[in-house]
Amino acid sequence: MVLALLACANAANAADKPQAYEISAGFDAAPQSLYWYSEGIAALNGDIAKDGFLLRTYGSLAVYQYATNAVAGIVDGELWQLDLMPGYQFVRGSVIFGGYVGLDYQQSQLLPDDPTNQVNGTTTGIKVEGHYYYSDDKQPFEGSLVGEYSTAFDTYYAEARIGARIAGQLFMGPDASVDGDTGYDAQRLGGYARYAFDLSKGVPLSVTVIAGHQFVSGGGGGFGGGAGTFGTLQLDTNF
């Protein structure tokens, strides 16, 4: 799927047009949890490097397990999520900041059913997101701050990152995040490495690897898994 999207990106840049789209896809692994996600952003003004309105869609699937005294044995969970959010961004040189507001759909399935888990069934809510990015090819560091909240199962996520240029387009640095929903709270502390290069003329590709330790408040089970080592791989491109 990612290779097909990149092929489309290559064709779209044949005429060296401004880049209007951004695509991300990733995979995350933590104890008792596997998480796949993808995101697409379209600049409605046709140029994602300028101020303007954006349209974002994000989808994910979390497959996880947890133990509880409410039922015998292990509970297997699946959490599907999809959002659609219009937004706006401001571009000020090396700084980009903005946000989105829209609808969030989530579907949770538990086997066997856990009557004590409030994240069960299907719900739709309002979702908001805010972000700040700093990146400059002439500077020795980069940074970002992202946060979002959905009324669907009171889902939240926030991440802070700052990296130093190691060589060329290779950045490394600390990464910290928190996420959770109703009855589940996790905190992550680790580091990241990001390497950017041109897959072909006019088609950039950024590869990010994150690893560290996850802490889970109260020892509860949820879509993010249990306490222990986690790892994330993400690919990003514009076209």
Side-chain angles (χ1 to χ4, degrees):
M1 175 180 176
V2 174
L3 293 178
L5 293 173
L6 294 178
C8 292
N10 189 32
N13 272 277
D16 293 326
K17 296 180 180 179
Q19 295 175 331
Y21 306 97
E22 178 179 308
I23 292 177
S24 300
F27 172 73
D28 181 271
Q32 294 86 53
S33 173
L34 299 175
Y35 184 87
W36 296 265
Y37 62 94
S38 62
E39 177 186 68
I41 299 173
L44 302 186
N45 63 2
D47 191 345
I48 205 165
K50 295 182 178 180
D51 291 6
F53 289 97
L54 307 172
L55 183 62
R56 183 191 104 153
T57 182
Y58 179 94
S60 65
L61 168 63
V63 179
Y64 60 98
Q65 294 181 329
Y66 67 93
T68 175
N69 294 328
V71 298
I74 300 296
V75 176
D76 294 310
E78 285 187 2
L79 181 62
W80 296 84
Q81 185 267 334
L82 177 67
D83 70 45
L84 182 63
M85 301 197 294
Y88 194 90
Q89 73 172 4
F90 299 89
V91 180
R92 299 293 181 268
S94 302
V95 173
I96 299 175
F97 61 95
Y100 302 90
V101 179
L103 295 177
D104 182 35
Y105 170 85
Q106 297 191 37
Q107 182 183 62
S108 175
Q109 301 175 355
L110 302 175
L111 186 67
D113 183 54
D114 178 4
T116 67
N117 192 336
Q118 299 182 56
V119 182
N120 199 353
T122 299
T123 186
T124 301
I126 301 299
K127 189 173 185 177
V128 296
E129 188 269 3
H131 57 267
Y132 172 95
Y133 302 112
Y134 174 83
S135 181
D136 190 328
D137 288 340
K138 298 180 181 180
Q139 297 299 323
F141 62 91
E142 65 178 9
S144 63
L145 182 63
V146 179
E148 57 184 42
Y149 171 77
S150 171
T151 59
F153 296 130
D154 288 326
T155 307
Y156 68 90
Y157 173 80
E159 180 186 58
R161 175 187 299 173
I162 185 167
R165 188 188 303 273
I166 304 303
Q169 293 300 311
L170 174 62
F171 288 83
M172 298 180 67
D175 181 283
S177 64
V178 295
D179 65 348
D181 55 25
T182 302
Y184 177 76
D185 298 287
Q187 308 84 41
R188 289 182 166 187
L189 185 61
Y192 85 99
R194 185 181 72 84
Y195 181 65
F197 61 97
D198 285 337
L199 190 65
S200 63
K201 184 179 179 181
V203 183
L205 180 65
S206 177
V207 181
T208 303
V209 177
I210 311 170
H213 188 84
Q214 174 169 272
F215 306 86
V216 180
S217 301
F223 68 91
T229 302
F230 75 90
T232 305
L233 173 64
Q234 179 171 308
L235 305 177
D236 301 270
T237 187
N238 296 335
F239 62 95

